[in-house]
Amino acid sequence: MSRAYIWLFVGLLLIVVPAKIWIHFATMDTVSGVVVQDKERIVTGTGAAQESKYLIFTDRETFENTDSLLAMKFNSSDLYGSLKEGTTCDFTVTGWRVPLLSWYRNILSASCS
């Protein structure tokens, strides 16, 4: 690999990583009083390349529930199991909802009654 490619890689790394960290913390928000209407597990890929994420449908918007290294969140399955249809919750979320790219705000924590 030539030096130009190495410098390009390092330069992109120095831009992308801080940007990802900034976006994570800059978009953190609390959404209060949402009612869980439905939830679903979405699986993509096959075999070892299989990935899954959880979607939480509420009366306001659809959220994603995935693990997050930046938030040190590794309990997506437990959180998914604790959410019950018809309950009212307060979510701490991060990210943006971009319908064109099928991006959802990620639930970092939930408090439900």
Side-chain angles (χ1 to χ4, degrees):
M1 191 169 4
S2 73
R3 285 186 144 173
Y5 286 120
I6 292 172
W7 283 111
L8 178 63
F9 176 76
V10 169
L12 286 174
L13 198 61
L14 291 173
I15 293 171
V16 171
V17 171
K20 178 92 171 149
I21 293 169
W22 179 84
I23 289 169
H24 172 79
F25 290 103
T27 61
M28 199 171 292
D29 191 18
T30 300
V31 182
S32 299
V34 296
V35 178
V36 176
Q37 294 178 329
D38 198 7
K39 57 185 189 172
E40 185 173 337
R41 178 175 169 238
I42 306 296
V43 179
T44 57
T46 58
Q50 190 175 29
E51 294 182 10
S52 64
K53 67 179 175 181
Y54 302 109
L55 293 181
I56 311 301
F57 304 97
T58 71
D59 59 334
R60 294 200 203 147
E61 68 180 281
T62 301
F63 296 94
E64 176 177 287
N65 173 26
T66 56
D67 289 341
S68 172
L69 179 62
L70 289 173
M72 298 301 289
K73 176 194 170 205
F74 305 106
N75 65 339
S76 296
S77 295
D78 296 331
L79 179 63
Y80 180 77
S82 72
L83 296 174
K84 306 296 181 209
E85 293 178 25
T87 58
T88 301
C89 301
D90 297 335
F91 293 151
T92 300
V93 299
T94 189
W96 290 301
R97 173 68 174 119
V98 182
L100 181 65
L101 300 175
S102 294
W103 289 355
Y104 303 93
R105 296 199 289 172
N106 187 25
I107 299 171
L108 299 179
S109 65
S111 173
C112 302
S113 56

